[in-house]
Amino acid sequence: MDRMFSGLARFVVRHRLLVVVGWVLVAVAASVTLPSLGSQINNDNSAFLPASAPSQRAAALATPLIGNVERQSQVLVVVTAGGRVLDPADQQAVGSALRAVRAVPTVRSVREAKISPAGTAAIVQVDAAVPPNDISAQRTLVDHLQSALASASLPGGVQVRLAGQVVTDVANQQSSQKTGGRIQGLSLLLIIVLLLVIFRAPLAAVITLLPPAFALVVSTRFIGALGAHGLKISEITDLLLIVLLLGAGTDYGLFLVFRVREALRSGLAPGDAVEFAMVRVGESISASAGTVILALLTLLFATFGIYRDLGVPLALGMAVMLLAGLTLLPALLALAGRAAFWPVRVRVAAHGHGRWGAVASRMVRRPAWTLALGVAGFAALAAVGLGYRSAGFGGTTSAPRGSAAAAGNAALARYFPTTSSNPANIVFAYPRPVWDDPSVLVAAGRSLAASGQFTHLAGPLDANGVGLTPAQLVRLHAELGNARSLPTVPAPGLTVPPDLYNAYRATALFVSPAGTTVQWEAALRAGSQRSTAALDATPAVRRAVAAAAAASGASQSGLAGQAAALYDVSTTANADLVRIVPIAIVAIALLLALVLRSLVAPLYLIVSVAMSYLAALGAATGVFIYVAGDSGLTFVLPFLMFIFLLALGEDYNILVMTRIREESRGRPLRDAVVEAVARTGPTVTSAGVILAGTFAVLAVGGGSGSGGSQVQAIGFGLAIGILLDTFVVRTVLVPATVALLGRWNWWPSHLASADAAETGAAAVGPAPDPREPARSS
């Protein structure tokens, strides 16, 4: 392994200018030719459900009514006249505007779906051949629709606004791009300030930050290209990629830069110092990045799309970051030489133990007490986590305040409260058209009403507030034909009263043209679709729907809508937590065993991650639920915290443990622990503060974005976990465990028998000298 990193280091140092130019060219080419990541974001969590989820099956069942949900997008146009009744002149002008809408390339149908009972507003439904998860194409559609409507000449007081989920998603995506830019800027500023404090050398700070910055530019374009070819990307993916690459990338930079400075202080020339540092920490950096990549790739076993689609983008970003850390960073250090640390002069000097050495010296004298106190403190924090409650299953479902989408949705809510109240959608499929036997509609409606699960039901016999009898529905269908093809204004000479005409036209929303698929829109007695109570009521509501299907002779039935989708999100996400966590633990443990040449150390290192995870979850629960009074924490928090703390926490484990192993070759184990902690303490502390700081930026800068509360909780939880790892677990508890176990740390490697720490035997040789050739490990 040492030979491989030695060869890589010699190549990079020898061709350092070529390596830097190569990275610049790659970054420029990616920026010019590939789409941005931000243009592919989707904030609707239900869009990430598998097709097998019950709510997704219900939506597919409603295809004859709403079209193919996997191939088209629907936009609502709300037409109002300032509170007055829309007269024929208004309707004619709106019709002219809609002709421009029909000319939009991807639009397939435009029809007036509903007129308000007072006649003061209308809803026009626009169906477009745009896949619902192609947020870039949806943004183009919305832009074209807005341009078409803006060019129309409308009478005074008449307004047309876009509304609905597609318009909301586009507005949130644009808001997320702004949030991502703000997070990136704040993260860069924070890291620069911290690096200046750590190194007191401007050039060293810039050199350390450049590789993660280049990796971020390149990987966001690569991932954007994957998004353009079908990969679903959430706002969480975008924000986590920024802080992960900048934070973890800077950490890996610190691992190498600190070791280069240490080698320079030992008297090596700059080029030799870079080669020596690469040999000593190249394996640690690679293994650290490998643990993160491996943990992220275990997400591919998830069924919930947010988790599954999070793995590939972040793993790709980390792979690019690792490549930059092993090539671009050493090339920059070799180019700068000792000037990298200007104005601080790097002199040859003996190394002292410093503060962390003093802490380690006290700790190894009483490792059992140190370990017991640490475990007790973590257990107290973890106990707070017993009050954890889930929330935020829906992602971002409302448009940003002040946006055009918010204005359109507000108009929809004012004039069509039933349509805009986010109803549950109850879908039935019948073996023959309901025109042949309308009694099935009565039976289904009565069964649903008798269930006690609903406070309001709108269906084929009550489509827009005007009731129809089964006989009237059959007669109107026979006389007027397909409700979808009826014009807004009745044809001259038609004897059907206007109220019945509009009521029948509105049935197009509830009965398919073939008459075999029917839906009801329902308000849940449990509460708003976004509430936890509505989510919890979903099983009971589904039983009521199944009973109504049986009572009316339906061949198939389903429940769609936000509460049903969120229930499926919750169920799917919880199942993934149970499935993925053991896979991730086993994968990381195997990697640790290979890197540390031990079967014992991985066991307590994994336990240490679990301790910091539970403590951090308890801290987040205390802050957001008990102090801030939130109803719950975003449901993705426990899962993401575990995966990220497992992966990132092991970064510091690997650095500390490989240094202890290195030092134990030449001294008793407890002395090796003191030396290793003294040497790595500043590195781990600096890296931990920077990584925690970048996650803390999420808690501060992400709060004003479209998914602010979710982002804040994730940022805070991960920041606390990283800080606990940095200042307690990796630098105190893990070294205490090593000192306590003695030679058994390295079993079954040869160090398990060679260690003389517990017996007080003499050291087996001198400590590693950076001026000597590296030994193969």
Side-chain angles (χ1 to χ4, degrees), residues 23 26-27 30-31 34-38 184 211-227 231 233 237-238 240-242 244-246 312-322 324:
W23 272 99
V26 169
S31 299
L34 300 177
S36 68
L37 172 61
Q184 183 171 320
F214 268 85
L216 183 62
V217 170
V218 173
S219 60
T220 53
R221 294 292 173 166
F222 287 167
I223 298 166
L226 293 177
L231 180 69
I233 300 173
T237 302
D238 181 31
L240 285 179
L241 181 72
I242 293 172
L244 179 64
L245 293 196
L246 293 180
V312 171
L314 298 186
L316 175 60
M318 285 302 301
V320 175
M321 180 61 251
L322 175 61

Side-chain angles (χ1 to χ4, degrees), residues 18 66 88 105 127 172 189 242 260 276 279 300 309 316 319 337 341 353 359-360 432 506 515 568 606 638 647 758:
L18 182 63
I66 62 177
D127 293 325
N172 283 323
L189 178 61
I242 293 172
V260 168
F276 169 80
V279 171
L300 294 175
D309 296 333
L316 175 60
F341 301 97
H353 281 172
V359 169
R432 58 192 184 123
D568 292 341
I606 294 292
E758 298 300 309

Side-chain angles (χ1 to χ4, degrees), residues 80-168:
T80 61
R84 64 175 175 81
V85 176
L86 291 166
D87 58 32
D90 297 332
Q91 295 176 354
Q92 184 176 2
V94 171
S96 177
L98 294 180
R99 281 194 290 273
V101 169
R102 289 187 178 91
V104 172
T106 55
V107 170
R108 293 294 174 264
S109 67
V110 178
R111 63 187 179 87
E112 190 173 341
K114 187 182 292 189
I115 296 178
S116 66
T120 56
I123 297 176
V124 177
Q125 182 176 306
V126 179
D127 293 325
V130 173
N133 296 319
D134 189 345
I135 193 68
S136 180
Q138 286 182 332
R139 185 178 64 252
T140 301
L141 170 65
V142 170
D143 290 342
H144 287 169
L145 292 178
Q146 288 174 333
S147 298
L149 294 173
S151 63
S153 178
L154 299 174
V158 176
Q159 291 183 312
V160 288
R161 299 181 178 92
L162 301 183
Q165 190 60 52
V166 169
V167 180
T168 299

Side-chain angles (χ1 to χ4, degrees), residues 4 16 94 158 172 189 212 268 347 394 419 441 446 479 658 662:
M4 182 185 77
R16 48 190 177 271
V94 171
V158 176
N172 283 323
L189 178 61
L268 289 182
R347 297 186 177 92
T419 300
L441 301 177
R446 284 177 179 172
E479 184 175 352
T658 53
E662 178 183 329

Side-chain angles (χ1 to χ4, degrees), residues 50-339:
S52 59
S55 58
Q56 298 298 92
R57 293 202 304 267
L61 183 62
T63 297
L65 276 168
I66 62 177
N68 192 324
V69 295
E70 295 182 356
R71 297 181 182 178
Q72 72 176 31
S73 297
Q74 185 181 94
V75 176
L76 300 180
V77 180
V78 183
V79 183
T80 61
R84 64 175 175 81
V85 176
L86 291 166
D87 58 32
D90 297 332
Q91 295 176 354
Q92 184 176 2
V94 171
S96 177
L98 294 180
R99 281 194 290 273
V101 169
R102 289 187 178 91
V104 172
T106 55
V107 170
R108 293 294 174 264
S109 67
V110 178
R111 63 187 179 87
E112 190 173 341
K114 187 182 292 189
I115 296 178
S116 66
T120 56
I123 297 176
V124 177
Q125 182 176 306
V126 179
D127 293 325
V130 173
N133 296 319
D134 189 345
I135 193 68
S136 180
Q138 286 182 332
R139 185 178 64 252
T140 301
L141 170 65
V142 170
D143 290 342
H144 287 169
L145 292 178
Q146 288 174 333
S147 298
L149 294 173
S151 63
S153 178
L154 299 174
V158 176
Q159 291 183 312
V160 288
R161 299 181 178 92
L162 301 183
Q165 190 60 52
V166 169
V167 180
T168 299
D169 288 345
V170 169
N172 283 323
Q173 185 264 341
Q174 292 170 337
S175 174
S176 297
Q177 282 188 297
K178 296 178 182 177
T179 302
R182 182 169 57 253
I183 295 296
Q184 183 171 320
L186 289 174
S187 298
L188 288 170
L189 178 61
L190 174 69
I191 292 172
I192 281 290
V193 170
L194 291 176
L195 288 175
L196 287 174
V197 172
I198 292 167
F199 289 122
R200 291 171 294 164
L203 188 55
V206 172
I207 288 175
T208 306
L209 185 56
L210 275 178
F214 268 85
L216 183 62
V217 170
V218 173
S219 60
T220 53
R221 294 292 173 166
F222 287 167
I223 298 166
L226 293 177
H229 286 83
L231 180 69
K232 299 175 187 176
I233 300 173
S234 67
E235 180 185 22
I236 292 174
T237 302
D238 181 31
L239 298 181
L240 285 179
L241 181 72
I242 293 172
V243 297
L244 179 64
L245 293 196
L246 293 180
T250 304
D251 279 7
Y252 301 154
L254 288 174
F255 292 178
L256 183 63
V257 175
F258 269 108
R259 202 64 190 261
V260 168
R261 188 174 66 177
E262 182 181 325
L264 290 173
R265 286 173 173 169
S266 299
L268 289 182
D272 295 335
V274 172
E275 290 186 27
F276 169 80
M278 278 282 289
V279 171
R280 291 302 185 189
V281 300
E283 183 182 4
S284 297
I285 293 174
S286 300
S288 297
T291 60
V292 179
I293 293 171
L294 191 59
L296 291 171
L297 289 179
T298 62
L299 298 179
L300 294 175
F301 292 97
T303 55
F304 183 39
I306 279 189
Y307 295 160
R308 185 182 62 252
D309 296 333
L310 192 69
V312 171
L314 298 186
L316 175 60
M318 285 302 301
V320 175
M321 180 61 251
L322 175 61
L323 183 61
L326 294 178
T327 57
L328 180 58
L329 180 59
L332 291 172
L333 287 169
L335 280 173
R338 293 181 182 273

Side-chain angles (χ1 to χ4, degrees), residues 668-697:
L669 182 59
R670 295 200 176 189
D671 291 347
V673 169
V674 174
E675 183 68 19
V677 172
R679 297 282 184 133
T680 62
T683 306
V684 172
T685 303
S686 302
V689 169
I690 288 176
L691 187 58
T694 55
F695 281 115
V697 168

Side-chain angles (χ1 to χ4, degrees), residues 65 111-117 123 415-420 423 435 441 456-469 472-473 476 483 499-511 518-522:
L65 276 168
R111 63 187 179 87
E112 190 173 341
K114 187 182 292 189
I115 296 178
S116 66
I123 297 176
Y415 294 101
F416 299 92
T418 302
T419 300
S420 67
W435 325 118
L441 301 177
H456 176 80
L457 287 164
L461 301 179
D462 183 22
N464 69 340
V466 177
L468 294 175
T469 66
Q472 286 175 322
L473 181 64
L476 290 169
D499 58 341
L500 292 182
Y501 181 86
N502 287 328
Y504 179 69
R505 284 186 71 252
T507 63
L509 294 174
F510 299 96
V511 183
V518 180
Q519 78 162 338
W520 271 260
E521 292 183 345

